[in-house]
mmCIF file of all heavy atoms in Angstrom:
data_model
loop_
_atom_site.group_PDB
_atom_site.id
_atom_site.type_symbol
_atom_site.label_atom_id
_atom_site.label_comp_id
_atom_site.label_asym_id
_atom_site.label_seq_id
_atom_site.Cartn_x
_atom_site.Cartn_y
_atom_site.Cartn_z
ATOM 1 N N TRP A 334 15.805 11.247 0.723
ATOM 2 C CA TRP A 334 16.154 10.304 1.788
ATOM 3 C C TRP A 334 17.252 10.878 2.679
ATOM 4 O O TRP A 334 17.185 10.809 3.904
ATOM 5 C CB TRP A 334 16.619 8.992 1.168
ATOM 6 C CG TRP A 334 17.206 8.013 2.132
ATOM 7 C CD1 TRP A 334 16.543 7.280 3.069
ATOM 8 C CD2 TRP A 334 18.592 7.643 2.258
ATOM 9 N NE1 TRP A 334 17.410 6.478 3.770
ATOM 10 C CE2 TRP A 334 18.675 6.686 3.292
ATOM 11 C CE3 TRP A 334 19.751 8.026 1.593
ATOM 12 C CZ2 TRP A 334 19.888 6.108 3.667
ATOM 13 C CZ3 TRP A 334 20.958 7.456 1.962
ATOM 14 C CH2 TRP A 334 21.016 6.511 2.990
ATOM 15 N N GLY A 335 18.267 11.496 2.054
ATOM 16 C CA GLY A 335 19.362 12.094 2.803
ATOM 17 C C GLY A 335 18.881 13.214 3.720
ATOM 18 O O GLY A 335 19.319 13.332 4.870
ATOM 19 N N LYS A 336 17.937 14.014 3.216
ATOM 20 C CA LYS A 336 17.388 15.097 4.025
ATOM 21 C C LYS A 336 16.607 14.554 5.219
ATOM 22 O O LYS A 336 16.652 15.124 6.314
ATOM 23 C CB LYS A 336 16.493 15.991 3.161
ATOM 24 C CG LYS A 336 17.252 16.854 2.162
ATOM 25 C CD LYS A 336 16.304 17.702 1.339
ATOM 26 C CE LYS A 336 17.082 18.595 0.358
ATOM 27 N NZ LYS A 336 16.146 19.405 -0.476
ATOM 28 N N SER A 337 15.873 13.458 4.994
ATOM 29 C CA SER A 337 15.089 12.881 6.098
ATOM 30 C C SER A 337 15.999 12.314 7.177
ATOM 31 O O SER A 337 15.698 12.405 8.369
ATOM 32 C CB SER A 337 14.136 11.794 5.573
ATOM 33 O OG SER A 337 14.831 10.614 5.217
ATOM 34 N N ILE A 338 17.125 11.714 6.758
ATOM 35 C CA ILE A 338 18.101 11.189 7.718
ATOM 36 C C ILE A 338 18.696 12.333 8.535
ATOM 37 O O ILE A 338 18.833 12.250 9.764
ATOM 38 C CB ILE A 338 19.223 10.422 6.993
ATOM 39 C CG1 ILE A 338 18.667 9.139 6.346
ATOM 40 C CG2 ILE A 338 20.352 10.081 7.957
ATOM 41 C CD1 ILE A 338 18.253 8.072 7.321
ATOM 42 N N GLN A 339 19.064 13.426 7.842
ATOM 43 C CA GLN A 339 19.646 14.585 8.517
ATOM 44 C C GLN A 339 18.672 15.207 9.505
ATOM 45 O O GLN A 339 19.030 15.551 10.625
ATOM 46 C CB GLN A 339 20.068 15.633 7.478
ATOM 47 C CG GLN A 339 20.780 16.856 8.070
ATOM 48 C CD GLN A 339 22.072 16.476 8.787
ATOM 49 O OE1 GLN A 339 22.919 15.805 8.211
ATOM 50 N NE2 GLN A 339 22.199 16.900 10.042
ATOM 51 N N LYS A 340 17.397 15.287 9.088
ATOM 52 C CA LYS A 340 16.386 15.854 9.959
ATOM 53 C C LYS A 340 16.206 15.015 11.208
ATOM 54 O O LYS A 340 16.080 15.534 12.321
ATOM 55 C CB LYS A 340 15.045 15.974 9.203
ATOM 56 C CG LYS A 340 13.955 16.630 10.020
ATOM 57 C CD LYS A 340 12.676 16.770 9.230
ATOM 58 C CE LYS A 340 11.583 17.421 10.078
ATOM 59 N NZ LYS A 340 10.301 17.530 9.341
ATOM 60 N N ALA A 341 16.174 13.690 11.022
ATOM 61 C CA ALA A 341 16.022 12.769 12.158
ATOM 62 C C ALA A 341 17.194 12.908 13.125
ATOM 63 O O ALA A 341 17.003 12.917 14.348
ATOM 64 C CB ALA A 341 15.898 11.343 11.666
ATOM 65 N N ASN A 342 18.398 13.039 12.587
ATOM 66 C CA ASN A 342 19.600 13.194 13.425
ATOM 67 C C ASN A 342 19.556 14.527 14.188
ATOM 68 O O ASN A 342 19.931 14.586 15.377
ATOM 69 C CB ASN A 342 20.860 13.128 12.580
ATOM 70 C CG ASN A 342 21.110 11.731 12.055
ATOM 71 O OD1 ASN A 342 20.654 10.739 12.639
ATOM 72 N ND2 ASN A 342 21.850 11.623 10.953
ATOM 73 N N ASP A 343 19.102 15.582 13.507
ATOM 74 C CA ASP A 343 19.019 16.898 14.155
ATOM 75 C C ASP A 343 18.002 16.871 15.299
ATOM 76 O O ASP A 343 18.232 17.476 16.352
ATOM 77 C CB ASP A 343 18.603 17.963 13.140
ATOM 78 C CG ASP A 343 19.716 18.242 12.125
ATOM 79 O OD1 ASP A 343 20.861 17.849 12.381
ATOM 80 O OD2 ASP A 343 19.397 18.826 11.058
ATOM 81 N N GLU A 344 16.892 16.172 15.073
ATOM 82 C CA GLU A 344 15.861 16.087 16.114
ATOM 83 C C GLU A 344 16.370 15.333 17.331
ATOM 84 O O GLU A 344 16.056 15.656 18.464
ATOM 85 C CB GLU A 344 14.596 15.429 15.551
ATOM 86 C CG GLU A 344 13.837 16.323 14.567
ATOM 87 C CD GLU A 344 12.680 15.612 13.924
ATOM 88 O OE1 GLU A 344 12.555 14.366 14.097
ATOM 89 O OE2 GLU A 344 11.868 16.288 13.235
ATOM 90 N N LYS A 345 17.167 14.282 17.092
ATOM 91 C CA LYS A 345 17.745 13.507 18.198
ATOM 92 C C LYS A 345 18.695 14.370 19.019
ATOM 93 O O LYS A 345 18.745 14.296 20.247
ATOM 94 C CB LYS A 345 18.469 12.285 17.658
ATOM 95 C CG LYS A 345 17.542 11.170 17.216
ATOM 96 C CD LYS A 345 18.343 9.962 16.742
ATOM 97 C CE LYS A 345 17.409 8.845 16.289
ATOM 98 N NZ LYS A 345 18.174 7.674 15.796
#
Side-chain angles (χ1 to χ4, degrees):
W334 171 72
K336 288 180 179 179
S337 73
I338 293 291
Q339 184 61 53
K340 183 178 179 182
N342 290 335
D343 290 344
E344 289 174 351
K345 284 182 180 179

